[in-house]
Amino acid sequence: MGQQCQIRATKCQLLVTSLFVMLLGFSLAILTTLTHFGAPFTIISGVSYNANPYRIIHNAVFYSGMCLSMILFLAALLSFIATVKESECLMAMGFFCFAIVFCGLILAAFWRYSNTEVEDAMMDVYDLVYEEVRRNSASFRKEELTAIHETFLCCGKYSPFEEIRGIENGTCPSTLTSTAREDCLQQIQDFMKKHMRYVSTLLIITVCFMVYGMILTSFLWFSIHFSNNLDRKGKYVLRKR
């Protein structure tokens, strides 16, 4: 009786966990879409340099995020169906989906906290555009520089040279010309720090649910595998001698 109650409680926990995992997959898909199509990110990735260092990261993050969100949906669906049907095979597949997402998130977290490649790539793109406009004020990149300034609400970068101030006057938003000007490199860095706080929060919550999901699915898999009298499973068959 005590074992059956424990199994029932584990099933209920896994059903609730599956619903939360589905919501996390939906949240990850939304965050990935906003990151890919958001104005601050598209304006940097859209700079027409053949060797744009941010464009590769921009596309890689989008495809990786969408893949992880689809695996989260699959893990939630498999776990839900496996719990209802008490299927050993589906339970194992749900466990492996949780494990795949867990490994992917751990790798993403390690890559994120061990370097600042994303911020550096965005600032490198801005530097390339800025320096080209500084060398040639008639360059077509002047429009790209103006678009970056308007998107991040910033104005150039700190420099003691007056020639750069002339460039900024022609490319900065009108609302910033008469007030204190914001360094664009600092603005980009601050924006990315704020954005990564949301990413880190979602990542930590998802990792916790992946660990919990793996524990629940492994427990139920062993229960299904080694027990023939689970709650609502199977019937006794009487054989005549």
Side-chain angles (χ1 to χ4, degrees):
M1 185 68 180
Q3 184 180 4
Q4 289 184 354
C5 291
Q6 187 178 9
I7 291 171
R8 281 200 200 100
T10 306
K11 287 179 179 179
C12 292
Q13 291 177 59
L14 185 56
L15 289 174
V16 174
T17 301
S18 299
L19 293 176
F20 275 105
V21 169
M22 194 169 292
L23 289 175
L24 285 172
F26 185 67
S27 301
L28 181 60
I30 291 176
L31 183 61
T32 302
T33 303
L34 291 176
T35 302
H36 188 72
F37 296 104
F41 302 99
T42 55
I43 201 70
I44 297 294
S45 65
V47 172
S48 55
Y49 273 108
N50 294 329
N52 187 331
Y54 175 72
R55 187 177 298 156
I56 298 173
I57 300 174
H58 185 73
N59 293 329
V61 168
F62 175 72
Y63 292 120
S64 299
M66 294 307 294
C67 286
L68 286 176
S69 64
M70 286 189 288
I71 297 174
L72 280 173
F73 277 117
L74 182 61
L77 184 62
L78 288 173
S79 300
F80 189 89
I81 296 174
T83 304
V84 174
K85 293 183 174 294
E86 296 177 357
S87 171
E88 184 179 342
C89 179
L90 293 178
M91 195 68 72
M93 292 173 64
F95 173 85
F96 281 114
C97 286
F98 283 127
I100 289 171
V101 176
F102 175 78
C103 293
L105 292 177
I106 292 298
L107 288 174
F110 176 78
W111 176 78
R112 173 66 189 94
Y113 290 109
S114 62
N115 62 70
T116 57
E117 189 174 346
V118 179
E119 295 93 328
D120 293 343
M122 294 182 75
M123 289 188 289
D124 287 344
V125 171
Y126 178 79
D127 273 332
L128 290 171
V129 176
Y130 190 91
E131 292 302 322
E132 183 165 333
V133 174
R134 186 177 68 84
R135 290 192 298 267
N136 180 13
S137 59
S139 173
F140 69 95
R141 300 207 183 276
K142 189 172 183 179
E143 295 181 2
E144 294 178 338
L145 184 62
T146 303
I148 294 174
H149 287 166
E150 291 176 350
T151 301
F152 286 96
L153 295 178
C154 58
C155 188
K157 58 182 181 179
Y158 175 76
S159 175
F161 301 106
E162 291 298 327
E163 59 172 330
I164 295 181
R165 290 302 175 191
I167 298 170
E168 294 175 358
N169 288 333
T171 59
C172 290
S174 57
T175 55
L176 298 178
T177 54
S178 59
T179 60
R181 301 184 180 189
E182 298 289 343
D183 188 335
C184 275
L185 296 179
Q186 187 63 46
Q187 282 290 94
I188 292 173
Q189 194 172 29
D190 292 342
F191 170 80
M192 286 305 300
K193 284 181 180 179
K194 184 178 180 180
H195 181 75
M196 292 310 299
R197 286 196 205 105
Y198 296 109
V199 174
S200 299
T201 302
L202 183 61
L203 187 146
I204 292 171
I205 294 173
T206 307
V207 167
C208 293
F209 271 98
M210 293 304 99
V211 173
Y212 193 52
M214 286 190 290
I215 293 172
L216 294 176
T217 50
S218 60
F219 174 81
L220 286 176
W221 185 89
F222 280 110
S223 298
I224 295 170
H225 185 72
F226 291 110
S227 177
N228 293 322
N229 57 352
L230 288 176
D231 183 42
R232 299 189 305 275
K233 178 182 178 180
K235 296 179 180 180
Y236 290 105
V237 178
L238 298 178
R239 295 181 179 180
K240 295 182 179 180
R241 292 187 179 180

